[in-house]
Amino acid sequence: GKTEPLKALPAMFDAKGLCVEQYFCTSKDGTKIPYFIMRREDMAFDGNNPTLVDAYGGFEISMLPGYAGGVGVAWLEKGGVKVIANIRGGGEYGPEWHKSALKANRYKCYEDMEAVAQDLIDRNITNSAKLACIGGSNGGLMVGNLITRPISSKLFTTAVCQVPLLDMKVYSKLLAGASWMAEYGNPDEPDEWKFLRRHSPYHLLHMTTSVYQRRRETRTDVKSKIRIGNAPKFFSRHRHAMIECIPVTHVKWSER
């Protein structure tokens, strides 16, 4: 039989002329990585579109395109491109997709993001000067790694690092942190700290000072299960690591 709408909320933004597409790129180890693009149908493939890449890559959590008023009004209506990257560590392809980026293999999440960024540039959707990444919580850890890795720090000019984990030496002692050791590893075990240190943004800062000359980060500190000191500690060290830089923008929201 026929169906008819009963009630609907008013539109939050004008979605006419917008489209969603799925693409695949190849990560460093040959794995095909899917990602979605939300854009205007009349977007010019001239490599000059402001593009925001969102991802999570952890805890078997899947990310899909969705209807979001803030994104529509502030970004898509104004010609921006929003990308959802389905990197490993998530649940998009089931438990094995998640397990493939656990502990010592965590770096594969970040290689996947580098592959997505490069593919967006190769498809003439954007360029590094107009390419940004965003992530919160575990996604904030991802962003922290992207701005300290030599390749991704040159691909992304802007980073939005929200409620992040950034010091992987002490994360297990912060609130619910001990429950995440199956995902990341135990920093008190010497063999596990060896690989944890390689994706602990706080500990990578002093080795990657030269990549910060074009950085500008915005971050927010509000999440009950992640100690809010993680981000200020990181960005304090970030400032001291730089000689000449664009100032860091610190946005702190209160739950009160």
Side-chain angles (χ1 to χ4, degrees):
K2 294 182 179 180
T3 59
E4 60 179 280
L6 297 178
K7 288 185 178 181
L9 291 172
M12 298 180 184
F13 63 95
D14 184 6
K16 292 179 181 177
L18 298 178
C19 66
V20 179
E21 299 170 315
Q22 186 181 37
Y23 292 97
F24 287 81
C25 62
T26 304
S27 195
K28 186 176 181 179
D29 64 0
T31 302
K32 297 293 185 182
I33 307 299
Y35 65 94
F36 291 93
I37 293 180
M38 292 174 276
R39 64 173 180 87
R40 297 195 62 83
E41 290 178 341
D42 59 359
M43 181 196 78
F45 284 81
D46 58 2
N48 202 38
N49 298 287
T51 301
L52 181 63
V53 185
D54 194 356
Y56 191 75
F59 296 91
E60 206 171 339
I61 293 174
S62 301
M63 289 187 67
L64 293 171
Y67 187 92
V71 174
V73 171
W75 194 248
L76 297 176
E77 276 191 346
K78 293 176 170 56
V81 178
K82 179 70 184 290
V83 175
I84 304 293
N86 305 123
I87 60 178
R88 282 172 284 185
E92 288 84 354
Y93 289 134
E96 293 306 313
W97 195 248
H98 172 228
K99 292 176 184 177
S100 64
L102 290 179
K103 293 188 174 182
N105 289 326
R106 200 79 199 165
Y107 67 93
K108 292 184 181 293
C109 301
Y110 316 133
E111 289 181 347
D112 294 352
M113 282 292 283
E114 291 169 350
V116 171
Q118 187 60 59
D119 202 54
L120 291 166
I121 294 170
D122 292 345
R123 293 181 187 273
N124 284 324
I125 291 170
T126 191
N127 63 77
S128 61
K130 294 197 172 183
L131 186 57
C133 57
I134 185 172
S137 189
N138 176 72
L141 171 62
M142 173 201 72
V143 171
N145 273 271
L146 294 179
I147 64 177
T148 52
R149 287 171 61 89
I151 295 176
S152 51
S153 62
K154 293 178 175 63
L155 290 169
F156 295 99
T157 297
T158 302
V160 184
C161 189
Q162 301 169 314
V163 290
L165 281 174
L166 295 169
D167 184 347
M168 301 308 286
K169 182 63 177 174
V170 299
Y171 86 88
S172 60
K173 297 176 175 64
L174 305 178
L175 301 175
S179 66
W180 307 330
M181 287 195 289
E183 184 83 11
Y184 301 125
N186 184 351
D188 295 327
E189 293 288 338
D191 289 344
E192 297 198 0
W193 172 239
K194 286 180 182 178
F195 63 72
L196 266 168
R197 192 186 189 286
R198 291 197 293 270
H199 58 253
S200 178
Y202 183 75
H203 294 87
L204 294 174
L205 273 177
H206 73 282
M207 295 187 291
T208 53
T209 303
S210 62
V211 305
Y212 287 101
Q213 304 308 312
R214 296 177 293 111
R215 301 246 60 82
R216 186 170 192 261
E217 292 85 30
T218 303
R219 57 100 178 149
T220 171
D221 294 339
V222 51
K223 195 168 188 180
S224 59
K225 65 183 181 181
I226 296 178
R227 184 180 176 185
I228 65 170
N230 238 243
K233 177 181 175 182
F234 176 82
F235 285 104
S236 175
R237 188 166 186 173
H238 179 282
R239 286 189 179 98
H240 285 93
M242 295 187 293
I243 300 171
E244 296 179 0
C245 64
I246 300 172
V248 173
T249 300
H250 169 198
V251 178
K252 184 173 182 178
W253 291 353
S254 172
E255 290 179 304
R256 288 182 262 180

